[in-house]
Amino acid sequence: MLPEMTFRSSDLPPAERFDFWRELMSKTHAPLDLQSDYADDFWVNQRTISLGEITVYPLECNPLAWRRTPKLIRQSDPEAFHLSLIKRGAGVVTRGKDSIAHKAFEYHTSDTSRAFEITSIRDSFEVIGVEIPKALLPLPPRIATQVVGKRISSRGGMGALLATFLDQITRDSHTYQPADGPRLSTVLADLVASLFTGVLDADRSLTPETHRRTLTLRVMAFIRNNADDPRLDIATIAAAHHISVSYLHRLFQQEGNGATVAGFLQQQRLARARQDLADPLHQGLPVYVIAAQRGFTHASAFSRCFRDAYGITPAAFRARSLALLPKECDAHPCPDPRASGEAATSR
């Protein structure tokens, strides 16, 4: 299973519950000032699931107030974006002079580098929290920051797709292997980036440059999510975004990094095939099968592209990668060394 920790307040004496959980949240999210009218006998259930550098945590607890103050930011800033899928309950988020109410089936977003205050209302609430380091989100922080504080629905479009993914991860975490964590992390980061770019693209108050940039990022996310489909080509990508092929090429040219649409698509396919070739879980699959699963229709073309990109043939790369693994990995998948410590239940 994925590295996971569970905390239930009922496992501790009432007087210790709130302080223990406050310390846990400071490690999971960032240092926070937490206050609650229920602090003397606080009720909370939280699971913390590690996907590598990204953390997902289903949480339900009594009403409380969360504060991320300038002083706490100066003390420690993990440089991360936070996103919560609100499953039950409601709250008010305040940033400076601006306040916005959030309710169930919406997302709340925050930035560990910016001060905020959240006050939950009504009875207990339930969320699925996500902590994503800014460096892992395939969006420039200056772009992603523009989404923070906006009301985002989980009832349709990318919001619903992300909600389904989070529900499945938290419900079926025991069915995944530790080695699946980095792959799930990549998918989750792409889904969040796609959600953010969709929100920005719908905001007509943004500048034409920001709209162009968010469209480019949305196209890139689309390519990442569909690269394994051998039918995906430049015309299909353009049609999916209701733009011409020439405008699609122009979007990539304006990025200024020399990337082309075809080059970016091939890069995604090669990187995933390379990861599969180095994975002992796939050592029984022929190279041509891995190539086909990653969108390549011709084995010879795949071998040529792989050698041009990495300076080695796919077969030689696989042999070298698997030879570097511990001997026991030749017959069985190697356990993640982090799992033994992190999978324990915290009390």
Side-chain angles (χ1 to χ4, degrees), residues 95-149:
R95 295 179 181 85
K97 297 181 180 179
D98 298 324
S99 294
I100 183 172
H102 287 281
K103 59 182 184 297
F105 306 109
E106 290 184 343
Y107 291 100
H108 152 68
T109 56
S110 62
D111 178 347
T112 61
S113 304
R114 298 168 63 185
F116 63 85
E117 178 178 342
I118 307 172
T119 303
S120 61
I121 55 179
R122 301 178 187 169
D123 299 321
S124 62
F125 66 92
E126 179 183 0
V127 301
I128 300 178
V130 181
E131 304 293 336
I132 303 182
K134 294 177 182 178
L136 292 188
L137 193 66
L139 275 175
R142 63 181 179 82
I143 298 293
T145 298
Q146 298 178 56
V147 178
V148 172

Side-chain angles (χ1 to χ4, degrees), residues 201 211-220 222-223 233-254 261:
D201 192 51
H211 278 295
R212 181 198 66 76
R213 177 62 175 151
T214 54
L215 175 58
T216 304
L217 292 168
R218 193 165 75 246
V219 169
M220 289 179 171
F222 176 83
I223 293 174
D233 56 18
I234 294 175
T236 304
I237 296 168
H241 294 85
H242 311 290
I243 58 177
S244 66
V245 169
S246 60
Y247 185 63
L248 176 61
H249 285 305
R250 192 155 63 249
L251 287 176
F252 275 73
Q253 291 170 357
Q254 290 174 340
V261 186

Side-chain angles (χ1 to χ4, degrees), residues 6-330:
T6 300
F7 172 68
R8 298 182 182 89
S9 57
S10 57
D11 293 335
L12 293 175
E16 299 178 16
R17 296 172 180 174
F18 191 70
D19 287 342
F20 189 99
W21 182 67
R22 176 166 48 196
E23 181 65 23
L24 175 61
M25 281 305 301
S26 292
K27 295 177 180 178
T28 304
H29 173 66
L32 294 164
D33 175 17
L34 300 180
Q35 297 181 7
S36 174
D37 293 337
Y38 300 83
D40 292 340
D41 187 10
F42 197 70
W43 171 78
V44 56
N45 290 328
Q46 177 179 332
R47 292 163 52 217
T48 304
I49 305 167
S50 174
L51 305 181
E53 294 185 75
I54 295 180
T55 302
V56 177
Y57 52 99
L59 161 70
E60 52 182 345
C61 68
N62 286 139
L64 77 162
W66 319 53
R67 295 183 180 88
R68 178 86 171 135
T69 65
K71 180 179 179 180
L72 291 173
I73 293 171
R74 289 192 297 270
Q75 290 177 356
S76 175
D77 184 4
E79 293 286 339
F81 288 114
H82 167 82
L83 180 144
S84 282
L85 170 61
I86 304 172
K87 305 281 288 182
R88 184 180 76 249
V92 176
V93 181
T94 301
R95 295 179 181 85
K97 297 181 180 179
D98 298 324
S99 294
I100 183 172
H102 287 281
K103 59 182 184 297
F105 306 109
E106 290 184 343
Y107 291 100
H108 152 68
T109 56
S110 62
D111 178 347
T112 61
S113 304
R114 298 168 63 185
F116 63 85
E117 178 178 342
I118 307 172
T119 303
S120 61
I121 55 179
R122 301 178 187 169
D123 299 321
S124 62
F125 66 92
E126 179 183 0
V127 301
I128 300 178
V130 181
E131 304 293 336
I132 303 182
K134 294 177 182 178
L136 292 188
L137 193 66
L139 275 175
R142 63 181 179 82
I143 298 293
T145 298
Q146 298 178 56
V147 178
V148 172
K150 294 184 179 295
R151 180 176 282 111
I152 307 173
S153 174
S154 68
R155 292 185 179 274
M158 290 305 303
L161 183 59
L162 176 58
T164 299
F165 180 83
L166 292 175
D167 281 332
Q168 182 175 343
I169 289 292
T170 56
R171 183 182 63 247
D172 302 332
S173 61
H174 64 284
T175 66
Y176 298 99
Q177 298 300 315
D180 293 326
R183 303 184 188 102
L184 294 170
S185 176
T186 299
V187 174
L188 179 53
D190 284 343
L191 286 173
V192 173
S194 297
L195 175 66
F196 279 17
T197 54
V199 171
L200 291 172
D201 192 51
D203 189 342
R204 300 304 177 185
S205 67
L206 298 178
T207 65
E209 171 62 21
T210 299
H211 278 295
R212 181 198 66 76
R213 177 62 175 151
T214 54
L215 175 58
T216 304
L217 292 168
R218 193 165 75 246
V219 169
M220 289 179 171
F222 176 83
I223 293 174
R224 291 189 191 97
N225 293 335
N226 295 277
D228 293 343
D229 188 344
R231 298 167 298 179
L232 187 68
D233 56 18
I234 294 175
T236 304
I237 296 168
H241 294 85
H242 311 290
I243 58 177
S244 66
V245 169
S246 60
Y247 185 63
L248 176 61
H249 285 305
R250 192 155 63 249
L251 287 176
F252 275 73
Q253 291 170 357
Q254 290 174 340
E255 285 296 291
N257 56 13
T260 63
V261 186
F264 184 76
L265 173 58
Q266 180 171 287
Q267 179 188 54
Q268 295 301 308
R269 288 170 170 168
L270 284 172
R272 296 172 190 201
R274 184 173 184 266
Q275 185 178 41
D276 289 345
L277 290 168
D279 192 334
L281 294 176
H282 299 307
Q283 61 182 306
L285 290 178
V287 170
Y288 73 87
V289 172
I290 288 178
Q293 290 179 341
R294 292 308 186 183
F296 291 92
T297 54
H298 300 288
S300 58
F302 167 69
S303 295
R304 183 172 59 254
C305 292
F306 192 97
R307 185 175 61 250
D308 290 344
Y310 302 115
I312 188 173
T313 66
F317 172 79
R318 165 182 266 182
R320 185 183 68 182
S321 299
L322 296 179
L324 295 175
L325 295 171
K327 292 299 182 181
E328 58 268 24
C329 290
D330 293 342

